[in-house]
Amino acid sequence: MKKMSVLITVILAFCALLFLGSRQLSRQSGATSSANTLSLYNWGDYIDPALIKKFERETGYHVQYETFDSNEAMFTKIKQGGTAYDLTIPSDYMIEKMKKANLLLPIDHRQLSNYHYLDSHFLNQSFDRGNRYSVPYFWGTLGIIYNDKFVKADEMQHWSDLWQPKWRDQLMLVDSARDILGMALVEQGHSMNTTNSKTLIAAQQKLNQLSGNVKAIVADEIKTYMIQEEAPLAVTWSGEASEMLDQNSHLHYVVPSEGSNAWYDNMVIPKTAKHKKAAYAFINFMLDPHDAAQNAEYVGYATPNKKAMTYLPAKIRNDQQFYPPLSTIKHLQVYQDLGASKVEEYNDLFLKFKMYRQ
Amino acid sequence: MKQSKRFFMIPYFIWIGLFVIAPLVLILYQSLTNTQHQFTLQNYATYGTSTTYLHMSLNSLWYAFLITAITLLISYPAAYFLSKLKHQQLWLLLIILPTWINLLLKAYAFIGLLSRTGSVNQFLTFVGIGPQQLLFSDASFLLVATYIEIPFMILPIYNAIVELNPALINASRDLGATNWQTFRRVIFPLTISGVKAGVQAVFIPSLSLFMLTRLIGGNRVITLGTAIEEHFMTTMNWGMGSTIGVVLIVMMFIIMALTNDRRKKRREVNDDEEN
């Protein structure tokens, strides 16, 4: 009994110590909410930390940085309220959803002196016509990653190449209904935003034929597996791809020229914003070509900033894996919010495909 | 006296009400609504008429059965020999130890072991068999699931065997029973309660192992857990997700009923004898 109470006392004392310590640390870093703060809600590791320092130095705002790992988690947190984020960076379909849920503030372009540096190809997209609520941050694609030890470049240029019987049990797919069904839809020459049930079922049957080639349907783990050469082929997003290519020089990324998905992560100001001025200052800062280039070099995603491209090293700028030629860009499609019942139809078909075994 | 007894029951009832009854009622309520929050039985109709969901339920039951059967086959002899060993507490500790480690960490450790360049394949290459595809197969899924569930099967069986009065075994031998007869007629029937407790502790969680189906099974093994996750996280159709949840709960109650029934009867008989 005595031993027990000593143990409990020690644990409680330890907790108190940790609590005081963490409070002291956060006070030192000045994380108190004041007029001079910018509360930034971003994906993990999605900005060069040096840029945050630079922004703080140049503008005097203090940046409070919090991260999320999925659009849905971010949406729920902002919708439930109780937060005071001034700026967040959702993806395309989520911007449409947040717009419909009245969670976004319109953006006054006159306050953004660097707005004209953006490439017009990446503006005025279907999810936000006229960019009334969002400003592009990064963009990317869906494509195929292959390992040149096992796959030759000319064998893997189009979606249809994945269906070759040669690749039995060699392919990893990203666990996402929209992307994988979308891939089958493009392969059959349809839109990635198809709502026609017959076309969707046909796409699922096409996927079933791929089933024998599929080794696994996984999420973030694809990165590790491809780097370790567990599989020679995978379908995933360019952002993930750029991280893999950094760590294994045998890996290459292809965006099939017949079409694929283009995704956008755009900066938005949510309704919860308390420091709008700081938010505008930050958006404008990130649109500055030098800063955008530095950020693109650090994160490894493609920048939509035309002027920033000229500041990027030629090796990155001319990399067709991540900055595909205009002929390919023309065929890229952006996902539209299809509504709950269609999203479910996509997911049910995807589930059927997952259960299908050849 | 009775008053104060009732008073001390209050925290218990609040706990049960808030964390057991209320969630169950909420799941049941959710399962009866559609995405527009209207009352409907549509979710159950969808479940009953969809070959996908029925096939998935069958999968869940089948894999849970396999996992339970394999763990039982390994655990019963293990528990039996454990009860004969010298340093039982130490061995028990070693069996319990892995349960202190987070499930996710264990799964990732297995990925490292079973991957193409992992230690198992290195060994296979060393002995001349050559690398095999181990991850993302039924076998690897069963292996990892069994590994994770084994402590929960060994412990109740071990407890039952330890409680067994050795005089009964001696008596059986004295009366001329062979080892096999002693086991079949005396030891096994008297430890069946431990087996049943173990089966419950393993079968029920195995019905909805969803992290492992993705990490180890590579989503080539699909169970009801996968569907629930999808409905709550991606399609946001909480109604359908809850419906599958209710189906799982019903399955669990059936298992409980099947494994509880006889023990209760025996206890009644025992009680009668004692009285």
Side-chain angles (χ1 to χ4, degrees):
Chain A
M1 197 57 207
K2 206 178 156 197
K3 232 181 181 176
M4 200 69 170
S5 52
V6 169
L7 189 71
I8 291 173
T9 324
V10 167
I11 291 176
L12 286 180
F14 201 65
C15 288
L17 214 68
L18 285 175
F19 174 72
L20 288 176
S22 78
R23 238 182 50 166
Q24 190 61 30
L25 279 177
S26 68
R27 194 177 298 153
Q28 270 170 13
S29 69
T32 42
S33 56
S34 66
N36 269 350
T37 345
L38 170 75
S39 174
L40 176 60
Y41 196 32
N42 194 0
W43 300 82
D45 203 24
Y46 205 35
I47 186 170
D48 183 352
L51 283 173
I52 295 186
K53 290 250 165 63
K54 190 177 168 202
F55 174 73
E56 287 180 331
R57 222 173 29 238
E58 278 182 8
T59 60
Y61 289 113
H62 172 77
V63 177
Q64 219 175 318
Y65 190 73
E66 274 188 57
T67 61
F68 54 84
D69 55 12
S70 83
N71 279 303
E72 282 70 20
M74 186 267 313
F75 179 80
T76 321
K77 216 166 166 191
I78 287 183
K79 196 177 173 193
Q80 279 173 347
T83 56
Y85 299 119
D86 300 316
L87 195 92
T88 182
I89 308 184
S91 309
D92 37 57
Y93 73 98
M94 189 48 76
I95 293 172
E96 202 172 350
K97 197 170 165 185
M98 290 176 88
K99 229 166 62 180
K100 280 182 190 162
N102 270 325
L103 291 175
L104 299 181
L105 293 176
I107 284 176
D108 181 6
H109 293 190
R110 280 169 305 180
Q111 294 191 43
L112 300 170
S113 59
N114 292 332
Y115 187 78
H116 64 276
Y117 290 123
L118 287 167
D119 190 333
S120 57
H121 279 113
F122 308 116
L123 295 173
N124 196 27
Q125 295 292 337
S126 59
F127 58 88
D128 185 20
R129 287 286 172 214
N131 284 74
R132 286 192 52 219
Y133 294 92
S134 72
V135 179
Y137 183 70
F138 279 125
W139 72 283
T141 50
L142 175 79
I144 306 168
I145 300 178
Y146 66 86
N147 189 319
D148 63 17
K149 278 197 215 164
F150 313 100
V151 184
K152 285 196 222 78
D154 58 333
E155 287 178 313
M156 199 45 67
Q157 289 301 320
H158 301 283
W159 292 120
S160 54
D161 294 336
L162 294 172
W163 268 264
Q164 297 299 324
K166 187 176 173 184
W167 311 121
R168 189 162 178 90
D169 220 11
Q170 306 285 306
L171 172 67
M172 285 197 182
L173 298 177
V174 69
D175 188 5
S176 157
R178 270 311 276 279
D179 288 304
I180 299 306
L181 267 166
M183 164 186 102
L185 285 167
V186 171
E187 206 278 328
Q188 294 182 310
H190 300 291
S191 154
M192 288 183 122
N193 291 307
T194 300
T195 49
N196 182 311
S197 298
K198 264 193 196 140
T199 318
L200 286 174
I201 290 170
Q204 189 243 322
Q205 279 158 357
K206 178 80 192 170
L207 276 181
N208 284 351
Q209 294 165 21
L210 186 67
S211 174
N213 287 0
V214 177
K215 185 200 265 279
I217 303 166
V218 281
D220 302 338
E221 305 93 86
I222 284 195
K223 244 185 286 182
T224 335
Y225 288 138
M226 288 305 287
I227 293 166
Q228 292 176 351
E229 305 185 346
E230 178 78 24
L233 280 169
V235 173
T236 189
W237 306 291
S238 59
E240 305 262 294
S242 80
E243 285 177 49
M244 292 181 223
L245 266 56
D246 276 347
Q247 295 189 45
N248 187 333
S249 57
H250 289 288
L251 296 177
H252 303 273
Y253 180 72
V254 189
V255 184
S257 55
E258 65 267 32
S260 181
N261 162 245
W263 51 261
Y264 291 86
D265 286 342
N266 286 15
M267 295 180 271
V268 301
I269 305 179
K271 270 260 159 75
T272 52
K274 294 250 162 60
H275 312 96
K276 276 177 237 168
K277 247 181 122 179
Y280 276 108
F282 186 81
I283 297 177
N284 210 32
F285 175 82
M286 290 315 294
L287 288 178
D288 179 276
H290 288 281
D291 299 325
Q294 185 183 337
N295 203 27
E297 219 181 319
Y298 175 87
V299 179
Y301 286 33
T303 177
N305 195 314
K306 203 169 189 176
K307 190 78 201 271
M309 293 280 287
T310 57
Y311 297 120
L312 280 173
K315 214 181 110 202
I316 299 181
R317 198 187 335 142
N318 298 328
D319 190 346
Q320 296 214 337
Q321 300 177 100
F322 300 106
Y323 293 97
L326 209 60
S327 55
T328 305
I329 292 185
K330 270 188 197 146
H331 291 122
L332 295 179
Q333 306 170 33
V334 180
Y335 292 140
Q336 292 154 15
D337 182 13
L338 299 177
S341 70
K342 278 294 156 189
V343 168
E344 199 163 342
E345 198 174 324
Y346 269 80
N347 276 283
D348 281 349
L349 288 172
F350 188 54
L351 205 57
K352 265 191 197 154
F353 157 63
K354 280 192 198 169
M355 292 185 56
Y356 183 88
R357 290 238 206 163
Q358 216 168 37
Chain B
M1 186 63 203
K2 235 185 180 169
Q3 280 279 301
S4 69
K5 216 178 195 176
R6 224 173 265 163
F7 176 76
F8 287 117
M9 292 292 271
I10 288 175
Y12 172 75
F13 281 124
I14 291 179
W15 182 272
I16 294 282
L18 278 181
F19 298 114
V20 180
I21 313 276
L24 283 178
V25 172
L26 278 176
I27 287 183
L28 196 67
Y29 168 76
Q30 287 272 6
S31 76
L32 294 171
T33 56
N34 61 14
T35 36
Q36 279 85 47
H37 303 288
Q38 290 152 330
F39 181 85
T40 171
L41 283 171
Q42 187 56 43
N43 291 329
Y44 288 93
T46 312
Y47 177 86
T49 52
S50 150
T51 47
T52 320
Y53 287 132
L54 293 179
H55 188 180
M56 222 182 302
S57 316
L58 190 73
N59 266 353
S60 290
L61 278 173
W62 174 239
Y63 282 112
F65 167 76
L66 281 179
I67 294 168
T68 315
I70 300 171
T71 31
L72 181 61
L73 271 179
I74 299 172
S75 300
Y76 199 97
Y80 185 79
F81 290 118
L82 194 67
S83 69
K84 301 277 172 282
L85 287 175
K86 229 179 182 176
H87 304 288
Q88 287 182 26
Q89 289 310 315
L90 176 72
W91 292 110
L92 262 187
L93 184 76
L94 288 180
I95 287 172
I96 298 169
L97 212 59
T99 62
W100 296 352
I101 298 166
N102 186 297
L103 173 70
L104 216 52
L105 290 180
K106 283 186 275 191
Y108 276 108
F110 267 104
I111 291 178
L113 285 173
L114 298 174
S115 69
R116 201 149 257 280
T117 48
S119 352
V120 176
N121 265 326
Q122 276 171 9
F123 175 76
L124 288 180
T125 316
F126 178 72
V127 286
I129 300 175
Q132 301 288 319
Q133 178 62 43
L134 300 171
L135 269 182
F136 317 127
S137 61
D138 282 359
S140 63
F141 172 71
L142 289 176
L143 169 77
V144 178
T146 310
Y147 165 80
I148 282 164
E149 300 291 356
I150 267 183
F152 303 104
M153 183 69 97
I154 289 191
L155 281 180
I157 298 180
Y158 168 80
N159 286 334
I161 294 179
V162 168
E163 277 169 25
L164 188 67
N165 187 349
L168 293 172
I169 299 168
N170 289 337
S172 151
R173 296 236 168 88
D174 283 348
L175 293 171
T178 62
N179 278 344
W180 172 243
Q181 279 171 325
T182 310
F183 175 75
R184 220 174 63 97
R185 296 291 176 97
V186 181
I187 300 175
F188 191 72
L190 285 176
T191 52
I192 193 85
S193 62
V195 173
K196 282 179 174 173
V199 167
Q200 279 181 7
V202 171
F203 192 91
I204 291 174
S206 301
L207 276 174
S208 54
L209 282 171
F210 78 91
M211 250 355 252
L212 289 187
T213 54
R214 198 186 88 193
L215 288 174
I216 305 291
N219 269 327
R220 309 303 282 153
V221 176
I222 299 283
T223 61
L224 287 175
T226 319
I228 295 182
E229 192 208 6
E230 197 159 284
H231 281 302
F232 276 90
M233 304 300 288
T234 325
T235 61
M236 300 277 171
N237 185 352
W238 290 19
M240 195 63 220
S242 303
T243 304
I244 302 172
V246 171
V247 171
L248 270 177
I249 293 171
V250 170
M251 280 190 193
M252 290 170 193
F253 275 121
I254 294 174
I255 303 300
M256 297 281 267
L258 283 179
T259 47
N260 262 342
D261 209 8
R262 277 189 221 148
R263 192 167 57 173
K264 223 180 260 166
K265 264 182 205 150
R266 183 171 309 124
R267 200 174 286 150
E268 275 158 24
V269 173
N270 287 346
D271 286 351
D272 288 345
E273 280 166 1
E274 276 164 27
N275 293 343

